Amino acid sequence: MQKPKLNYFRLMTTPKGMLQHSIGDKPNLKYGFAVDDNARALVVADLWCMAGESSMKKYAEYYLKNIVASQAKNGKFYCYLYEDGHKKQLGTGDWFGRSVAALAFHTTRMTHQKEKADKILRKSLNLVLKIGRAHV
C-alpha cells in the first residue's frame, strides 16, 4: 500500500496552526483557524511521529501552539482564532471535547511538548469536573 502524501496537510499549516479553509490549493487566511481542526491535526501529526515521520514533530508543535492560544483562563476554548489575534465563540461545544481528547492523546503518547499539553489539559479537566459537579 502506498504511503499517504502530506503535501496538502503541510500546505494548510502555518506556524500558527492548521488553517480552516482553502480555495482549491490556496490556503485562505480570511477564515483563520478552528481549534477542533488543530486538535485533529495534532492527533494526525502525533500518529505520523509515532510511525517514524520525524518531520511532523514541528507541525505537532504548531497545532499544540494553536490549541494553547485558543484556551481561555477558565479552561474553555475559543472555537475560532484569526491571524490578527482576534478570537470568537468561547465555550464548551464540540470543539472543546475534540481539544481535550487530542491533548489527552498527546500527553499519553508523546514526549515533545508533553508538559505544555498536560498543563492546558489539566485546566480544561478542572472545568469538566466543575461542570459535572454542578449537574449532580
Side-chain angles (χ1 to χ4, degrees):
M1 185 160 96
Q2 187 179 14
K3 189 173 167 181
K5 292 185 173 106
L6 295 170
N7 300 359
Y8 190 72
F9 198 79
R10 289 181 172 126
L11 176 73
M12 291 299 293
T13 300
T14 78
K16 290 187 177 183
M18 171 74 69
L19 287 161
Q20 189 176 186
H21 293 288
S22 70
I23 299 172
D25 64 351
K26 304 280 187 263
N28 190 340
L29 294 171
K30 177 182 176 185
Y31 297 100
F33 308 87
V35 71
D36 55 337
D37 291 345
N38 280 274
R40 287 186 287 262
L42 177 61
V43 171
V44 169
D46 285 348
L47 289 168
W48 274 104
C49 287
M50 291 165 58
E53 184 66 45
S54 60
S55 69
M56 290 306 289
K57 185 176 176 180
K58 86 172 176 184
Y59 291 90
E61 291 171 6
Y62 295 156
Y63 308 136
L64 181 58
K65 189 164 100 174
N66 180 278
I67 296 169
V68 169
S70 298
Q71 190 180 47
K73 289 181 181 175
N74 64 4
K76 294 178 182 179
F77 290 98
Y78 286 93
C79 188
Y80 305 108
L81 209 76
Y82 298 90
E83 275 290 317
D84 64 2
H86 178 75
K87 300 173 184 180
K88 266 176 58 178
Q89 203 168 337
L90 179 65
T92 56
D94 57 353
W95 63 92
F96 178 86
R98 288 189 189 106
S99 298
V100 169
L103 291 166
F105 183 87
H106 185 81
T107 59
T108 58
R109 289 175 172 78
M110 306 306 293
T111 56
H112 66 280
Q113 302 284 315
K114 183 176 182 164
E115 294 80 20
K116 182 188 285 189
D118 187 63
K119 181 179 176 183
I120 61 173
L121 174 61
R122 287 179 186 277
K123 191 188 294 186
S124 290
L125 289 177
N126 284 333
L127 178 63
V128 170
L129 291 174
K130 285 180 191 173
I131 292 170
R133 281 189 225 117
H135 293 291
V136 175

